[in-house]
Amino acid sequence: MAVEPQLWAAMLVTLIADVALTHYGLQVGLAEGNPLMRAAIETAGIAALFGIKLSIVIFGVGVRLTLGERGVVVPVGLAVPWLLAAVINAVLLGIALPQ
């Protein structure tokens, strides 16, 4: 599909935004809402969050390769929850979102 590279790029942007805003939020006193991620971050720092998300992307690439043409949904399926998390973090942090 012609838009697939852009979907993967958008997924990477949402991943980075989520990790960056989570990191910033933790620095200013917000708490990680996911108890498993909270424990991982407390143990290994923000690198744990990035590492887990990177592992999910690698798994997603594997799923993409097995699904053929239907696999174009994989980057969207990864990006949507990370975009929601980034938006929630931005709102909690009072960061103005583009209109």
Side-chain angles (χ1 to χ4, degrees), residues 31-51:
E32 171 59 46
N34 178 331
L36 294 175
M37 283 311 309
R38 186 179 324 123
I41 292 169
E42 288 171 0
T43 302
I46 199 68
L49 178 62
F50 184 76

Side-chain angles (χ1 to χ4, degrees), residues 44-89:
I46 199 68
L49 178 62
F50 184 76
I52 290 169
K53 288 185 180 287
L54 185 58
S55 298
I56 292 167
V57 170
I58 291 167
F59 177 77
V61 169
V63 170
R64 167 62 187 103
L65 294 173
T66 63
L67 289 179
E69 290 182 23
R70 297 174 299 152
V72 72
V73 300
V74 171
V76 176
L78 294 173
V80 168
W82 293 341
L83 176 62
L84 291 174
V87 168
I88 290 168
N89 284 338

